[in-house]
Amino acid sequence: NAGVTQTPKFQVLKTGQSMTLQCAQDMNHNSMYWYRQDPGMGLRLIYYSASEGTTDKGEVPNGYNVSRLNKREFSLRLESAAPSQTSVYFCASGVGARTEAFFGQGTRLTVV
Amino acid sequence: QQQVKQSPQSLIVQKGGISIINCAYENTAFDYFPWYQQFPGKGPALLIAIRPDVSEKKEGRFTISFNKSAKQFSLHIMDSQPGDSATYFCAASRDDYKLSFGAGTTVTVRA
């Protein structure tokens, strides 16, 4: 039972490069989320998808785009990476609002 | 600006002691208050959650106390064990999908 799987686990980018973080869940959850975790700031919501076919901005969406490819997959794209986007990124999924969110193992991204 | 303020940033407790983490919020529309536990190199995992219609919820050694009038809630870890050493996050949400997290508390349990 894999749960929420994120790829890659580690990535180093140069400023201005682009990349896509992949996330897939096998729990048949409707909702999926992307968070970033920075020291002293907890986890902040970047984007979420309440259900297949919908996406909405969270607290810190600037510099990111997302795609809900199907019910299982939710990707996060950085079009032009900046050092301020150095962070640990977590994907999560859940049944819906006010329910448990299941997190992946995270992607540690460094932008130099 | 964080919608949920968490303290302390870190704490050290002896094995068998009690760990207490406090959180405060301003948005009275919040109606779901979970706590997440995170071990190094792992994603957070739900520990325990409470809704504002109850003042306390206990699961094993973990207890949430909720004070609606003060807009505060806290996590108590009784009989703390070395395996409880982790980072704990409080969070809050309402009828949308936006879970707001506190900054986190790193708990170290000394044997």
Side-chain angles (χ1 to χ4, degrees):
Chain A
N1 187 3
V4 179
T5 303
Q6 293 182 233
T7 55
K9 288 187 169 46
F10 300 93
Q11 184 72 48
V12 178
L13 286 180
K14 293 183 179 178
T15 298
Q17 285 185 320
S18 63
M19 80 161 294
T20 299
L21 280 63
Q22 306 287 353
C23 175
Q25 52 94 5
D26 62 2
M27 295 174 282
N28 201 35
H29 286 160
N30 291 320
S31 308
M32 296 187 74
Y33 312 85
W34 276 105
Y35 287 88
R36 60 178 289 174
Q37 183 175 17
D38 301 291
M41 303 195 73
L43 292 100
R44 292 180 292 167
L45 183 64
I46 305 171
Y47 271 93
Y48 67 98
S49 171
S51 61
E52 186 179 357
T54 69
T55 60
D56 284 287
K57 296 178 180 179
E59 294 177 67
V60 288
N62 291 344
Y64 306 95
N65 285 300
V66 290
S67 295
R68 183 75 183 266
L69 304 169
N70 48 55
K71 191 170 186 179
R72 289 186 64 248
E73 298 173 285
F74 189 37
S75 63
L76 178 72
R77 182 161 179 84
L78 287 71
E79 290 291 352
S80 178
S84 61
Q85 294 179 305
T86 293
S87 186
V88 181
Y89 291 85
F90 286 98
C91 176
S93 70
V95 172
R98 298 201 212 86
T99 61
E100 180 176 1
F102 293 82
F103 285 80
Q105 299 266 41
T107 295
R108 184 172 294 275
L109 175 68
T110 302
V111 182
V112 298
Chain B
Q1 173 181 345
Q2 274 184 307
Q3 296 196 56
V4 180
K5 297 195 187 321
Q6 183 172 348
S7 63
Q9 187 175 358
S10 63
L11 66 90
I12 299 172
V13 62
Q14 291 297 120
K15 180 181 175 182
I18 302 173
S19 304
I20 301 174
I21 305 170
N22 300 300
C23 288
Y25 64 97
E26 287 298 324
N27 188 345
T28 55
F30 286 147
D31 60 0
Y32 174 64
F33 302 89
W35 285 87
Y36 281 80
Q37 180 188 54
Q38 184 180 31
F39 294 104
K42 304 291 186 183
L46 181 68
L47 185 64
I48 186 172
I50 197 169
R51 297 186 191 272
D53 52 345
V54 298
S55 60
E56 185 176 281
K57 182 175 181 179
K58 182 178 293 188
E59 287 187 5
R61 296 182 293 105
F62 299 91
T63 300
I64 300 178
S65 297
F66 186 82
N67 186 330
K68 188 174 181 178
S69 61
K71 292 184 285 186
Q72 295 175 349
F73 58 112
S74 60
L75 176 70
H76 291 61
I77 307 173
M78 313 300 287
D79 186 27
S80 296
Q81 299 297 312
D84 297 332
S85 296
T87 300
Y88 294 81
F89 294 95
C90 60
S93 73
R94 38 176 289 193
D95 59 349
D96 57 15
Y97 294 80
K98 300 179 183 180
L99 196 58
S100 295
F101 283 85
T105 298
T106 300
V107 174
T108 302
V109 182
R110 295 259 166 87

